[in-house]
Amino acid sequence: MCGIFAYAMFRGGVGVCKACGCTCAVKGTSKKIEFRRAELLEYGRKLRHRGPDWSGTFSDTNTSISILMVHERLSIIDPFGGSQPLVHILPSGHKLVLCVNGEIFNHQQIRAETQDYPYQTNSDCEVILALYSKNRDNLQTVLEALDGQFSFVLYDGERNKIVAARDPIGITSLYYGRNITDGSIVIASEMKSIPPEFDMIEQFPPGCYIEVENDVSEMKTSDYYSKSRKGAWRGRYLAGDDGMIDYVKSQDNETVYGKLRDILTAAVKKRLMTDVPFGMLLSGGLDSSLVCSIAMKLLNEHKVKVPWQDTIHTFAIGLEGSPDLEKAQEVANFLGTYHYSFKFTLQEGLDAIRDVVYHLETYDTTTIRASTPMYLLARRIKSTGVKMVLSGEGSDEILGGYLYFLSSPNDFEFNKECHRRTSNLHKFDCLRADKSTMSWGVEGRFPFLDDDFIDYAIDLDPSIKKFNNAEKFVLRKAFDVTDENGQPMYLPSNILWRQKEQFSDGVGYGWINTLIANANKKYSDDEFTALQKKYVVNPPSSKEALMYREIFESIYPKRENTVDYWVPRTDWANVGADPSGRAQKVHAQAYSVEAHKSDN
């Protein structure tokens, strides 16, 4: 992961600046590019938290698209030789220039298939240049070949064209804007690097690309993933035909368990690709514990080689006495990891809220609740020298693991909600996981968001996903395996079958209680009613939501359209609007939302 900032303009000159993880294009002529160079570099520097290891630049003002590219790098693969922007000189003498935020996990395979390309580095990202140089008229072919988490911008100097794309799930954050009047575009990993003159800003859609030539008004976003051989699930969802979002009804359960286990194991293995120290986020819940367990098994069986360490380092955070800290230590003891258990105080969490809103660029309640401890944990992880971590994001969306899913009226609606949640991951869990960790220059990788895992798991029969009201039953059952001595091969039963705790709950039940109480003290009922009316787009439904919204507006005015709210399906029986898992009646320590409000 890195930071990318790009500045570009058509019809009279474009400047493009990049910082790995973000791409921006801002209005200006070629003369203005040089005049504004220092100012533009400052926008790139706003992303240096994403890429603290090195900076690189490229500029060209001699074409119809004048361009300045700046790359802020976090080095994970080929740390000494893989600096960006990457440049390939075509036979015509023109240049292809690439900046990437992310990782291409199948880069070795692509290298073997593109041996005639003159590779200059061992960077996984350079394969994008190799593929593009051979398929310049068919970007679909380039993108279908990539297995990874990425967003990138590529400048084709021969064709005076800019290409940008984002991975199918939207794991790496990306925004874009355009100005039809002066012919400029902006593409950025984070909004903070976008100059204030751009007011038409949106999230770049996952699984899509743009090719821009001559005029920004001609820019079109193309969906490549739904058309690819891997994109069946997304194609069904985007088609808008509810009848197409159906599940596979007839399967042998034991076959499903075995295949699910194999696919997830392969997903973990490919994400252990690194040239630097790495670790695992370990909450003690099912998803992160399984990822750790699989990784340890691969390491113990010598199926992967990792540098710098002979065991896996795991990290957990919580309030004093939190459920996650206790369970995470239990899992670490069982697996034999080198474990770090960090505690934070309620005041430290409250003090970090404004920084979290700044880095996350959201005012969504559940995202901020969960991001704050993750943001604090990433800072602790950075202090240990670890630069990359694996985590368990995505399982709940794909497998219907949130407790409100148990209230679905029927299997069809259950599966439809899996599709909706998975397609919106880039707005919530991916945004949280990417920006919380990258705030401190730590890259996150997410095995459950592997293309093959999603394609197989998302349309499994809901009855096997929620059998006997055990959320994610199929995943638990797939890894409920013992050895010849009857000992669990992956996790002990009390962890494997532990009820779902959303991260904001698991770090300690006092965390959400304190956030709600703090907001209730900040605003009277009359103040809340008056301030609520200020916001036409996404009006806050609670004092807590209003508190976050006011912070967001003070940092990112007029950019409210870039955010959505994470809300359970309140149209389902017995499902309330509070995103906390404890707000659902099936939770072992459920609380009454109304009673909770009256207590604070």
Side-chain angles (χ1 to χ4, degrees):
M1 299 285 191
C2 308
I4 317 169
F5 173 77
Y7 175 102
M9 184 178 183
F10 300 81
R11 289 180 174 173
V14 183
V16 179
C17 292
K18 272 183 122 182
C20 177
C22 156
T23 337
C24 262
V26 187
K27 58 187 177 182
T29 65
S30 58
K31 290 183 179 180
K32 284 185 178 179
I33 293 167
E34 294 305 317
F35 179 75
R36 296 185 66 185
R37 183 182 177 93
E39 175 192 351
L40 296 172
L41 289 176
E42 282 302 313
Y43 284 108
R45 290 189 184 101
K46 289 178 182 290
L47 300 165
R48 190 155 290 174
H49 55 276
R50 298 185 66 92
D53 294 337
W54 200 249
S55 301
T57 65
F58 170 86
S59 63
D60 185 355
T61 58
N62 296 317
T63 65
S64 62
I65 301 181
S66 299
I67 185 165
L68 171 64
M69 304 175 82
V70 180
H71 187 271
E72 303 290 348
R73 187 185 185 209
L74 177 66
S75 52
I76 304 294
I77 303 297
D78 190 13
F80 301 112
S83 296
Q84 298 184 37
L86 295 165
V87 180
H88 173 61
I89 301 177
L90 296 166
S92 64
H94 292 92
K95 295 175 180 178
L96 303 179
V97 188
L98 173 72
C99 286
V100 185
N101 170 34
E103 306 289 347
I104 308 301
F105 299 125
N106 64 335
H107 74 104
Q108 294 288 8
Q109 174 189 337
I110 296 174
R111 279 176 179 268
E113 296 169 354
T114 54
Q115 295 184 27
D116 55 340
Y117 176 84
Y119 283 98
Q120 305 171 62
T121 74
N122 292 317
S123 168
D124 57 296
C125 297
E126 193 174 3
V127 299
I128 298 175
L129 275 181
L131 289 167
Y132 179 80
S133 66
K134 305 298 181 185
N135 299 277
R136 293 166 71 195
D137 294 317
N138 190 353
L139 192 58
Q140 178 87 19
T141 298
V142 176
L143 296 169
E144 284 184 6
L146 302 177
D147 181 1
Q149 52 188 66
F150 60 85
S151 52
F152 71 79
V153 171
L154 189 153
Y155 167 62
D156 188 333
E158 186 173 62
R159 299 185 177 185
N160 293 319
K161 179 168 70 173
I162 291 175
V163 173
R166 191 179 187 189
D167 69 67
I169 306 300
I171 297 172
T172 62
S173 62
L174 196 66
Y175 297 83
Y176 77 110
R178 49 184 166 177
N179 189 321
I180 302 298
T181 302
D182 64 16
S184 59
I185 64 168
V186 55
I187 308 172
S189 298
E190 297 186 1
M191 285 196 300
K192 60 183 63 64
S193 65
I194 301 178
E197 60 257 41
F198 275 89
D199 54 5
M200 295 177 60
I201 299 171
E202 301 176 30
Q203 284 210 42
F204 196 104
C208 293
Y209 68 87
I210 58 170
E211 296 179 277
V212 191
E213 299 178 82
N214 303 320
D215 190 344
V216 68
S217 65
E218 299 174 357
M219 184 176 76
K220 294 181 180 180
T221 304
S222 300
D223 178 359
Y224 72 87
Y225 191 67
S226 68
K227 301 181 181 71
S228 75
R229 57 183 174 79
K230 292 182 177 180
W233 74 270
R234 195 163 184 270
R236 286 195 295 278
Y237 180 79
L238 294 177
D241 183 349
D242 290 348
M244 296 178 69
I245 305 176
D246 209 351
Y247 51 88
V248 180
K249 300 178 182 179
S250 56
Q251 294 192 58
D252 174 70
N253 286 358
E254 291 301 323
T255 300
V256 172
Y257 302 148
K259 187 166 184 178
L260 199 68
R261 187 164 58 246
D262 290 344
I263 292 174
L264 186 57
T265 299
V268 172
K269 183 178 180 180
K270 71 176 69 170
R271 282 160 181 80
L272 294 175
M273 175 190 79
T274 179
D275 292 332
V276 299
F278 76 97
M280 305 272 173
L281 301 187
L282 179 59
S283 70
L286 173 66
D287 304 327
S288 64
S289 298
L290 269 182
V291 170
C292 290
S293 175
I294 294 168
M296 278 299 295
K297 193 170 186 293
L298 289 168
L299 188 64
N300 292 336
E301 294 175 353
H302 307 290
K303 293 181 178 178
V304 294
K305 294 181 179 180
V306 294
W308 303 93
Q309 57 206 76
D310 55 5
T311 188
I312 288 176
H313 294 232
T314 51
F315 302 90
I317 193 168
L319 299 170
E320 181 74 43
S322 75
D324 279 1
L325 285 183
E326 175 188 351
K327 295 299 183 183
Q329 187 65 61
E330 185 177 341
V331 174
N333 292 343
F334 176 81
L335 297 177
T337 69
Y338 192 96
H339 188 63
Y340 301 79
S341 185
F342 298 117
K343 296 176 184 176
F344 75 101
T345 67
L346 292 170
Q347 190 59 54
E348 287 170 337
L350 290 173
D351 290 344
I353 291 294
R354 185 174 181 84
D355 289 338
V356 169
V357 174
Y358 170 77
H359 280 287
L360 272 291
E361 302 174 327
T362 186
Y363 49 82
D364 172 57
T365 299
T366 189
T367 301
I368 294 170
R369 285 177 174 181
S371 295
T372 304
M374 196 170 190
Y375 170 84
L376 296 173
L377 178 59
R379 188 174 190 179
R380 292 285 200 172
I381 292 172
K382 184 67 173 180
S383 71
T384 70
V386 165
K387 300 177 70 173
M388 182 271 285
V389 291
L390 270 65
S391 187
E393 272 72 21
S395 173
D396 291 309
E397 287 77 9
I398 299 162
L399 297 173
Y402 294 113
L403 294 180
Y404 80 87
F405 271 83
L406 298 178
S407 298
S408 61
N410 53 60
D411 286 349
F412 176 77
E413 289 296 325
F414 181 103
N415 195 59
K416 184 179 176 182
E417 183 69 355
C418 287
H419 276 258
R420 185 179 76 90
R421 282 292 180 207
T422 302
S423 293
N424 287 329
L425 271 164
H426 65 289
K427 299 178 182 179
F428 304 112
D429 281 44
C430 287
L431 181 147
R432 167 181 56 79
D434 173 71
K435 292 183 179 178
S436 294
T437 55
M438 289 300 290
S439 297
W440 300 105
V442 177
E443 176 183 277
R445 296 181 182 177
F446 316 102
F448 286 105
L449 298 181
D450 184 80
D451 288 352
D452 291 335
F453 184 85
I454 297 176
D455 288 341
Y456 181 72
I458 195 167
D459 285 327
L460 290 175
D461 191 334
S463 65
I464 198 175
K465 290 183 177 182
K466 59 173 182 175
F467 181 76
N468 202 27
N469 272 351
E471 79 284 355
K472 293 181 291 193
F473 175 89
V474 64
L475 183 64
R476 301 175 194 274
K477 192 67 175 176
F479 288 89
D480 194 356
V481 182
T482 56
D483 61 19
E484 63 275 9
N485 298 316
Q487 298 301 309
M489 295 177 61
Y490 291 95
L491 293 171
S493 292
N494 63 318
I495 299 295
L496 192 63
W497 295 94
R498 180 189 175 195
Q499 188 183 50
K500 166 70 182 175
E501 288 280 12
Q502 287 171 220
F503 186 56
S504 52
D505 291 317
V507 296
Y509 297 143
W511 173 232
I512 292 178
N513 298 354
T514 298
L515 289 171
I516 295 174
N518 192 59
N520 286 345
K521 291 176 182 177
K522 185 177 178 66
Y523 306 104
S524 69
D525 290 345
D526 290 341
E527 287 173 324
F528 170 69
T529 300
L531 290 170
Q532 186 186 37
K533 295 177 181 178
K534 286 174 52 179
Y535 304 109
V536 177
V537 176
N538 294 332
S541 60
S542 69
K543 293 178 182 178
E544 183 188 4
L546 174 62
M547 179 173 66
Y548 303 144
R549 182 62 174 273
E550 291 207 301
I551 296 172
F552 178 90
E553 292 290 341
S554 70
I555 303 172
Y556 302 110
K558 299 180 180 179
R559 296 185 177 181
E560 66 275 11
N561 286 302
T562 62
V563 179
D564 284 334
Y565 282 128
W566 195 104
V567 181
R569 287 292 300 271
T570 55
D571 56 323
W572 291 355
N574 300 316
V575 176
D578 192 299
S580 167
R582 280 193 302 147
Q584 307 307 319
K585 293 182 179 180
V586 295
H587 192 280
Q589 299 190 43
Y591 66 78
S592 166
V593 177
E594 291 304 318
H596 184 72
K597 288 180 179 178
S598 66
D599 289 341
N600 293 283

